[in-house]
Amino acid sequence: MDILSLFSILSAIGLSGVGSILGIAMTASVSTRLIAEKPERFGMALVFTVLAETPVIYGLLISLFIIMSGSSIDNFYSSLSLLGSGISVGVTGLFSGLGIGIAGSAAIGAISERDDLFGKALVFAVLPESIVIYGLLVSIIIMRGIGLLGVNTLYQANSSTAYASLISSAVVCITGGSGYYLGKTGAKAISSLLKDEDSFGKSIVFVVLIEGIAIYGLLVAILLLKGVNML
Amino acid sequence: MFKPAKMKKVKLQLPLEQEDQFLDSISKLGILQVKNVEEQVPDLSIVDANVAEEKNNLENLIRRCDAILNKLPKEGIFAQLVRKSNEVFTPSKEQEYELYANAQKILSEAEDKLSTWEKLKKSKFATREQVSSKIFSLLRDNLIVIRKIKETNHIIILEGWIRRKNIAKLKEVVTRTTEGKCILSLEESKVLGKDILRIRLATLTSNYVALEGALSSYGLAKLTVEAEEEKGAEFESVEEAIDISSIKQKVSLLKKVLLNRLEIIKAKEKLARSKFFVYLEGWIKEKDISKLTSLLKDGHYDYRLSLEDPKEGEEDRVPVALENPPLIRSFEVVTTMFGYPKYNQIDPTPFLAITFALFFGLMFADVFDGLLLLAFSLLLYHGLGSRSQGGRKLSEILIAISFSSILFGFLFGEFMGGIVNLPVVWFSGFENPMYFLEVAIVIGITQLTIGFIIGFINELLRHRIKNAIGEKLSWLLLLYGIIVILLHFYYLQNDLYLYFGSMLTISGIFLILITKPMDLIEITRMISNVVSYARIVAINMSHIGISRAFALLAAPLLSPESGIIGFLLGGALLLIAHVFIVFIESFVAFAHSLRLHFVEFFSKFFEPAGNVFMPLSVVKK
């Protein structure tokens, strides 16, 4: 396994891990305060805390894929593409973990006052996770494209495919910054549920406007990869 | 279906003495929403001062009930979801009256018990288990554990615990130190087991210091909890000692009675009265009119009733009750999360029921995961679903979407990430993501089209022709114009399509410019709406990717070389992994299906400004 594959693993698990650490730290600290006063809310608080763990699980998934199959990559350009795969899930995992942590903390705060808001608060807490899903998707497409998850007869290991992989990964990562702001606006939306529960549907509309940016990034990434026969 | 239930306005006159009886009976049927009297009826007044005072009193009592119930321990989240309903006790009229009359007394007793419970909980040794384990640990290093029960100037009484094997030693030390001036009684401890004996020792106060010194040399520990604080030690737990469950039962029942009474009081506030008659206005579903007339006839009311259709221009104030067949009814929960449609608008629930299940199935396509989700849904149906209407509807939705997951799992040939190779009936989303993307976009455009058509019809129903053309038809033309032009460049390569597409596009833009020109900047939002359906592919691929990763990890364990232990380990790993996947990924798929409907679909036609139909009814559970 070459240095680029190793850096890919580092990005995938390291950056998504940092995102999850920050997310879990935020939700866990609020949870411990909540269950000291209301121990019966333990289960609900645990759900929001566990949500923040999903980015690192996706990072772990990609890392395991690379460890198990990365030794079959013996080409510099394929390794460079693989680096893009790791960065894609790592950076989006970082933003996603932060966003889930912020929204999750607000959700735990909301259920401390009204446990019937659990379902609606959960919807807002889950939305930042879509960012790491987009990153994971690009990672999987790249890995599939270079032949790690199936056979791709159209693939050619050259600078175009490598740069396309890196740029598509960068696009998804940069637009993935919306994950953090999804969390922030989601937190505000959860707070507004306490004042007016009926604002739920309309609040979602505002929150997901931010996600539209990440969707554009995903679309461009997919089209780039399609253009170099990685898809 | 497709439209809310037809409503009729009710105008009813009754003798004053029949008011309470009527309100009580109609609340049991739950078919009539009472509203403020609008019609100008001579000699009628609206406000009844006595009602206001009773209302305040009821609200205070209900607040006290809530304060008590909020302090009581609640079940854990899993128990709340799967516990079956207990039998619902419905009090008779006399029992209700008695509960209401004794409300203050019941609440005061409950509050006293609650404060005792809270004091015991705070005490370090409030439960039998905590006391017992403390005594056990102290007896490891000590001969005896004691505490003072009573001390006067002359006599001191101690209570203690000692291991059976050390009794002889204790007797010897106590007799020697007190010179025989003591009374010692022993009994087996019911709580701590046969090896430990409970002792009571009474001796002169003057002997205590010497006794304490003598016992210390063999090991003496003092229990610092006061006897009163250990009240709960006789019981399994503090909750049993204070009988928390009966408090919960009594106060919950009282709250139900108070809420029912408050509903009737609120309805009374809206009625108009003269010296002999009471006058009521309200709304009723057309299909329930026969129930109302039967009630009035069978109850021998001396009534005058008139039923009217909503007037022109009154549609915004008519309450809305969604009316759908049983299979679709559960999805009303999803629609109403966003809001209620207005009375004369189309109810989107039938469309949502199909597309919600479709989107979820596409994102969560796996036979095994669908089966796991179905199992959980059935558990929920029998648990929470038996106790609340909302729980029932949620579990029915989950059952529907799990069937959809199973169906698409078969169509895509997905079972536990490829552990079992199923034939691909339609296509594999993971192997053909570009084709899947095309399918998702087509489904999305179909949904957007339905949204625009519903919006168009809604505007026509409200006689807003300009909005129908400028906000709905124009955008539909623009959308299909762009689609046809793109089809020309990427697939069809026929100039006819280019001309046709251009015509549609120009017509759409022209209609927008002449009706609402500023709306043209929303073209980017429309592109975003279409592209948004790509998330179906993203979530499906991540779901399948994770399943395949776990399948790859478990594959070596499941191979014949690993033997039976390896097989069992591999199976356990896969089961745990898929429980995790169902737990996390189903939330994600649910939230994103919800989001696609609320943002992309509903924004095309849904104005959630309808008033909910809230009939006067008794609290059932």
Side-chain angles (χ1 to χ4, degrees):
Chain A
M1 211 181 287
D2 62 7
I3 190 80
L4 291 173
S5 304
L6 293 171
F7 267 111
S8 181
I9 294 168
L10 175 66
S11 306
I13 192 73
L15 293 173
S16 62
V18 168
S20 282
I21 288 167
L22 294 170
I24 293 172
M26 281 188 247
T27 48
S29 58
V30 180
S31 295
T32 45
R33 276 205 302 275
L34 169 64
I35 59 172
E37 290 165 28
K38 296 181 184 175
E40 66 277 7
R41 305 279 158 95
F42 171 73
M44 290 182 191
L46 187 63
V47 166
F48 290 112
T49 311
V50 163
L51 267 182
E53 206 182 345
T54 47
V56 74
I57 290 169
Y58 297 152
L60 174 67
L61 184 77
I62 296 300
S63 303
L64 287 173
F65 268 141
I66 298 171
I67 291 168
M68 280 162 38
S69 341
S71 52
S72 61
I73 302 293
D74 53 7
N75 179 284
F76 171 73
Y77 293 117
S78 297
S79 295
L80 208 53
S81 297
L82 198 60
L83 179 64
S85 172
I87 291 171
S88 173
V89 76
V91 174
T92 53
L94 173 65
F95 287 125
S96 195
L98 272 172
I100 295 172
I102 295 169
S105 310
I108 294 168
I111 61 164
S112 70
E113 292 185 41
R114 286 182 50 192
D115 59 355
D116 58 314
L117 288 178
F118 174 73
K120 292 182 178 175
L122 188 63
V123 172
F124 287 113
V126 157
L127 284 177
E129 203 192 342
S130 49
I131 304 304
V132 72
I133 288 172
Y134 303 152
L136 179 69
L137 176 64
V138 169
S139 283
I140 289 173
I141 292 173
I142 293 171
M143 292 180 77
R144 210 178 149 276
I146 60 177
L148 281 192
L149 290 175
V151 176
N152 182 6
T153 53
L154 294 174
Y155 173 65
Q156 288 176 359
N158 56 38
S159 56
S160 302
T161 52
Y163 296 149
S165 301
L166 284 173
I167 295 297
S168 62
S169 169
V171 164
V172 153
C173 292
I174 292 168
T175 54
S178 57
Y180 172 71
Y181 291 99
L182 270 173
K184 287 195 83 171
T185 39
K188 292 271 189 269
I190 291 169
S191 307
S192 70
L193 286 177
L194 285 166
K195 289 183 198 141
D196 179 13
E197 202 178 328
D198 293 335
S199 66
F200 172 73
K202 294 157 205 158
S203 296
I204 280 194
V205 176
F206 288 111
V207 173
V208 302
L209 282 175
I210 301 168
E211 202 203 353
I213 316 303
I215 298 271
Y216 297 148
L218 175 70
L219 180 68
V220 167
I222 289 175
L223 290 173
L224 264 174
L225 293 170
K226 166 82 177 144
V228 294
N229 294 322
M230 299 277 275
L231 190 61
Chain B
M1 202 157 85
F2 298 115
K3 285 203 86 180
K6 275 200 85 163
M7 306 296 280
K8 286 271 194 200
K9 192 190 279 188
V10 170
K11 291 179 182 174
L12 178 66
Q13 183 180 287
L14 289 169
L16 211 55
E17 57 273 14
Q18 292 183 326
E19 176 190 350
D20 283 346
Q21 182 195 345
F22 174 74
L23 288 175
D24 199 55
S25 304
I26 201 73
S27 68
K28 290 189 168 63
L29 287 179
I31 56 174
L32 178 70
Q33 175 177 319
V34 179
K35 69 179 194 65
N36 287 323
V37 170
E38 287 168 357
E39 192 156 314
Q40 294 299 318
V41 184
D43 301 327
L44 290 185
S45 62
I46 305 292
V47 175
D48 183 340
N50 289 340
V51 171
E53 194 186 316
E54 191 181 353
K55 186 183 168 193
N56 280 337
N57 187 37
L58 281 166
E59 283 169 346
N60 285 334
L61 289 172
I62 290 168
R63 268 194 290 273
R64 282 174 71 183
C65 288
D66 283 335
I68 291 168
L69 291 170
N70 283 339
K71 285 181 188 169
L72 294 175
K74 292 203 175 70
E75 291 168 303
I77 184 169
F78 189 70
Q80 278 182 58
L81 292 176
V82 304
R83 180 178 58 81
K84 274 200 85 157
S85 167
N86 298 324
E87 211 178 295
V88 174
F89 170 65
T90 309
S92 64
K93 198 94 188 79
E94 293 73 29
Q95 284 168 326
E96 273 188 24
Y97 180 75
E98 202 186 318
L99 274 168
Y100 184 35
N102 292 320
Q104 291 280 4
K105 188 172 158 216
I106 292 169
L107 289 174
S108 301
E109 272 174 14
E111 280 158 356
D112 286 342
K113 281 191 174 176
L114 209 61
S115 86
T116 310
W117 174 65
E118 280 174 337
K119 240 183 10 182
L120 283 177
K121 266 200 323 174
K122 283 189 182 138
S123 154
K124 270 170 88 177
F125 300 110
T127 64
R128 182 175 74 178
E129 288 83 13
Q130 287 167 327
V131 174
S132 305
S133 68
K134 186 71 185 172
I135 292 169
F136 269 123
S137 74
L138 288 170
L139 282 177
R140 249 181 257 128
D141 302 318
N142 294 287
L143 176 75
I144 187 167
V145 177
I146 64 165
R147 72 170 160 210
K148 288 182 197 172
I149 293 181
K150 196 138 180 103
E151 187 178 3
T152 67
N153 287 335
H154 304 290
I155 303 286
I156 184 166
I157 303 173
L158 302 171
E159 181 183 47
W161 293 266
I162 188 167
R163 291 200 186 273
R164 193 180 282 275
K165 65 181 182 185
N166 294 325
I167 288 296
K169 171 69 64 194
L170 175 72
K171 280 182 181 172
E172 186 255 307
V173 170
V174 167
T175 311
R176 178 167 41 84
T177 317
T178 62
E179 293 171 356
K181 289 171 189 159
C182 68
I183 302 169
L184 183 66
S185 81
L186 299 162
E187 63 175 353
E188 250 179 40
S189 170
K190 286 178 216 158
V191 171
L192 297 166
K194 289 185 180 161
D195 185 50
I196 295 176
L197 298 175
R198 191 179 179 127
I199 67 164
R200 291 262 158 79
L201 171 67
T203 187
L204 299 172
T205 307
S206 51
N207 286 337
Y208 177 67
V209 173
L211 181 62
E212 197 183 27
L215 288 172
S216 291
S217 58
Y218 295 99
L220 169 72
K222 290 180 190 171
L223 202 59
T224 52
V225 66
E226 295 300 325
E228 290 81 30
E229 288 174 352
E230 209 208 315
K231 243 183 206 169
E234 307 152 33
F235 299 92
E236 281 297 322
S237 67
V238 183
E239 282 74 26
E240 194 192 303
I242 304 299
D243 198 8
I244 289 292
S245 59
S246 87
I247 295 177
K248 192 169 182 177
Q249 219 177 0
K250 244 188 212 164
V251 173
S252 301
L253 190 60
L254 175 64
K255 183 180 169 185
K256 213 163 77 166
V257 168
L258 294 172
L259 282 170
N260 290 340
R261 183 74 194 144
L262 184 64
E263 283 293 298
I264 291 178
I265 294 294
K266 282 182 180 171
K268 278 179 144 200
E269 276 186 323
K270 295 175 185 167
L271 307 186
R273 289 174 185 77
S274 69
K275 216 169 156 184
F276 302 108
F277 293 105
V278 67
Y279 186 74
L280 174 152
E281 280 185 18
W283 293 100
I284 192 168
K285 289 187 211 174
E286 201 173 66
K287 64 172 192 171
D288 288 334
I289 290 172
S290 56
K291 287 184 191 167
L292 174 65
T293 47
S294 301
L295 172 78
L296 290 167
K297 287 196 177 96
D298 297 343
H300 307 292
Y301 292 95
D302 184 13
Y303 68 94
R304 266 203 266 175
L305 174 70
S306 119
L307 297 161
E308 298 169 7
D309 286 322
K311 292 194 188 91
E312 193 75 29
E314 202 182 14
E315 294 91 3
D316 283 0
R317 290 187 298 151
V318 178
V320 169
L322 301 181
E323 202 161 57
N324 287 290
L327 281 174
I328 293 171
R329 202 174 294 151
S330 342
F331 286 89
E332 288 172 7
V333 165
V334 181
T335 305
T336 55
M337 265 191 213
F338 193 75
Y340 277 79
K342 288 187 180 176
Y343 179 64
N344 56 355
Q345 289 189 343
I346 290 178
D347 174 11
T349 308
F351 304 100
L352 181 143
I354 296 168
T355 49
F356 194 91
L358 173 69
F359 291 165
F360 187 92
L362 284 169
M363 289 189 233
F364 202 69
D366 187 289
V367 177
F368 185 76
D369 291 345
L371 286 168
L372 273 182
L373 186 62
L374 180 63
F376 174 71
S377 316
L378 291 170
L379 210 59
L380 192 68
Y381 183 81
H382 289 289
L384 184 66
S386 65
R387 302 199 316 271
S388 84
Q389 214 182 25
R392 186 184 195 87
K393 287 184 176 178
L394 174 65
S395 51
E396 285 169 355
I397 292 172
L398 288 177
I399 290 168
I401 61 180
S402 52
F403 274 120
S404 181
S405 304
I406 295 167
L407 170 67
F408 281 101
F410 275 118
L411 290 175
F412 293 174
E414 292 293 338
F415 190 102
M416 280 182 108
I419 283 287
V420 172
N421 279 322
L422 290 181
V424 176
V425 176
W426 185 10
F427 70 94
S428 168
F430 196 78
E431 305 299 333
N432 299 299
M434 283 314 290
Y435 179 67
F436 194 5
L437 188 62
E438 290 168 16
V439 169
I441 297 293
V442 166
I443 290 172
I445 290 170
T446 309
Q447 189 180 50
L448 291 174
T449 306
I450 294 170
F452 277 124
I453 292 172
I454 296 174
F456 182 74
I457 295 171
N458 275 343
E459 295 298 338
L460 287 181
L461 285 172
R462 298 173 78 189
H463 310 295
R464 303 201 307 195
I465 312 292
K466 188 181 170 190
N467 284 2
I469 295 171
E471 286 181 11
K472 313 299 173 193
L473 181 63
S474 55
W475 284 100
L476 202 52
L477 291 171
L478 184 56
L479 173 68
Y480 277 90
I482 295 172
I483 289 168
V484 172
I485 292 172
L486 287 172
L487 281 175
H488 159 76
F489 283 113
Y490 282 97
Y491 294 102
L492 301 165
Q493 259 101 45
N494 184 332
D495 284 350
L496 197 62
Y497 292 102
L498 181 61
Y499 298 140
F500 181 57
S502 306
M503 252 179 53
L504 288 174
T505 308
I506 292 166
S507 312
I509 293 174
F510 175 71
L511 285 172
I512 294 170
L513 285 172
I514 61 169
T515 51
K516 298 199 165 200
M518 291 304 290
D519 280 2
L520 210 50
I521 57 169
E522 301 235 342
I523 198 162
T524 51
R525 194 147 82 94
M526 190 159 81
I527 296 170
S528 155
N529 285 167
V530 173
V531 169
S532 196
Y533 289 90
R535 73 185 60 241
I536 295 174
V537 180
I539 292 165
N540 171 277
M541 285 188 78
S542 74
H543 176 214
I544 307 259
I546 293 165
S547 298
R548 290 195 180 188
F550 282 114
L552 269 173
L553 288 170
L557 291 168
L558 295 170
S559 65
E561 290 83 36
S562 306
I564 191 83
I565 294 179
F567 184 82
L568 289 171
L569 275 173
L573 169 67
L574 278 178
L575 185 62
I576 292 167
H578 279 271
V579 168
F580 163 77
I581 287 169
V582 168
F583 180 63
I584 294 287
E585 295 287 315
S586 60
F587 277 145
V588 171
F590 194 97
H592 284 277
S593 299
L594 205 69
R595 174 244 133 86
L596 282 172
H597 284 83
F598 284 2
V599 179
E600 272 73 35
F601 186 43
F602 283 178
S603 61
K604 301 299 164 283
F605 64 92
F606 199 170
E607 287 174 58
N611 302 311
V612 183
F613 176 60
M614 292 179 52
L616 175 63
S617 66
V618 295
V619 173
K620 296 245 174 354
K621 289 189 181 179

